[in-house]
Amino acid sequence: MSDSVRTADDVKTLLLSCTGDSSQETMKFYDRWAQTYNQDVKLINYAASHLGVDFLIDHFTGSRREDVQVLDVACGSGGVAKLMVERGFRHFVGVDGSGGMLALAAQTGLYQDLRLALLGTQPLPAQTDGFDVVIIVGALDAGFAPVSVVRELCHAAKPGGLVCMARGEHRGAPARKYKEDLERELDLMEEEGLWRPVGIKQSDRYMEDPHLNPEREEDTEEERFIGGTVYLYRKSIRPSVQISH
Ligand SMILES: C[S@@+](CC[C@H](N)C(=O)[O-])C[C@H]1O[C@@H](n2cnc3c(N)ncnc32)[C@H](O)[C@@H]1O
């Protein structure tokens, strides 16, 4: 199939072929998808990176964006950095488990460093307390990055830094269970004093729903999309070494 005749339905069929059985399988899927990824996400109106970046920037209060160190986790082809650079951010380190996707991110020329790591299996390759902003878009889901990764995101942020997490509300029991587990972990980390919530945003339009039957004409515009959620946290400021008296 040539790219010129590729349709949204072709992309949705491809997405449904991603079993999500394991993150290793998901990485193989993304390695294959990398060839047409940038064109394909436009066809399905993938709005996740806009959703995450817009919400982050709405709450970003630091004045010198050009000095901010951003860790873009599950950076894929670099969609998040492309949007952030338009808004004045300059320093990006990207992490992803797919070499094919990292090759696309490298082509943007926006990242100071790109690191290959399968999150959940390998540790997040990022310095503790190293980044003003840590962002992950499109990878917190069953068969992608496990919930445990959110602690690593928090570790990588500087005290007072922001952690922004955007994800789609995909259908099915594994996705619902993942969301429950994720929100429990986010709350637990708040109770532990690791961070505090800055805000949460829900959107009706994260991307077109691959499960919808293209033959069904009565679908409304809204029904064609799955929703998405962005969680934004600020890491607590506290000494990393406890002083005993
Ligand atoms: C939907 S893309 C999102 C890319 C980018 N954040 C964006 O919004 O444009 C999901 C990305 O997450 C990566 N990913 C998923 N699970 C991962 C894991 N366990 N470890 C590392 N990367 C993972 C995939 O390789 C892919 O590049």
Side-chain angles (χ1 to χ4, degrees), residues 11-30:
V11 181
K12 290 177 194 174
T13 305
L14 179 76
L15 283 175
L16 293 177
S17 75
C18 178
T19 60
D21 285 345
S22 70
S23 45
Q24 283 84 353
E25 287 302 314
T26 303
M27 291 308 92
K28 286 187 201 156
F29 172 83
Y30 272 97

Side-chain angles (χ1 to χ4, degrees), residues 19-203:
T19 60
D21 285 345
S22 70
S23 45
Q24 283 84 353
E25 287 302 314
T26 303
M27 291 308 92
K28 286 187 201 156
F29 172 83
Y30 272 97
D31 279 338
R32 288 193 300 273
W33 193 17
Q35 277 190 327
T36 55
Y37 179 87
N38 281 333
Q39 302 91 303
D40 286 0
V41 289
K42 290 183 197 145
L43 289 171
I44 55 162
N45 289 301
Y46 178 75
S49 25
H50 277 279
L51 183 64
V53 169
D54 288 351
F55 193 57
L56 168 72
I57 288 175
D58 285 350
H59 292 84
F60 182 81
T61 47
S63 52
R64 290 184 54 84
R65 293 183 182 184
E66 61 272 31
D67 295 337
V68 168
Q69 302 290 330
V70 180
L71 181 66
D72 181 7
V73 181
C75 61
S77 63
V80 164
K82 281 183 207 158
L83 293 173
M84 290 187 74
V85 89
E86 287 168 9
R87 317 286 275 276
F89 295 85
R90 293 286 173 269
H91 301 285
F92 304 96
V93 170
V95 177
D96 203 280
S98 157
M101 295 300 280
L102 281 178
L104 294 178
Q107 285 168 19
T108 67
L110 296 176
Y111 293 89
Q112 277 73 59
D113 197 8
L114 287 164
R115 302 170 185 172
L116 182 68
L118 182 61
L119 304 170
T121 300
Q122 296 169 300
L124 178 67
Q127 193 192 329
T128 301
D129 296 345
F131 293 86
D132 303 284
V133 168
V134 178
I135 182 163
I136 185 168
V137 174
L140 289 175
D141 215 333
F144 283 57
V147 166
S148 57
V149 166
V150 297
R151 266 178 201 267
E152 297 185 85
L153 305 179
C154 182
H155 288 314
K158 289 181 184 173
L162 289 171
V163 181
C164 180
M165 296 162 276
R167 63 182 304 276
E169 306 290 353
H170 294 278
R171 288 168 190 251
R176 281 197 298 277
K177 164 93 169 56
Y178 187 99
K179 180 175 177 159
E180 274 171 32
D181 292 347
L182 174 68
E183 294 190 343
R184 194 176 312 113
E185 180 72 348
L186 299 178
D187 289 349
L188 185 62
M189 289 170 64
E190 184 187 347
E191 283 166 26
E192 290 172 11
L194 296 174
W195 61 16
R196 63 178 171 77
V198 176
I200 183 167
K201 177 175 173 140
Q202 249 125 20
S203 164

Side-chain angles (χ1 to χ4, degrees), residues 204-205 207 209 212 219-227:
D204 294 339
R205 288 177 175 234
M207 64 180 230
D209 185 347
L212 279 194
D219 293 322
T220 65
E221 185 65 2
E222 255 56 49
E223 278 180 321
R224 281 204 298 128
F225 289 81
I226 63 163

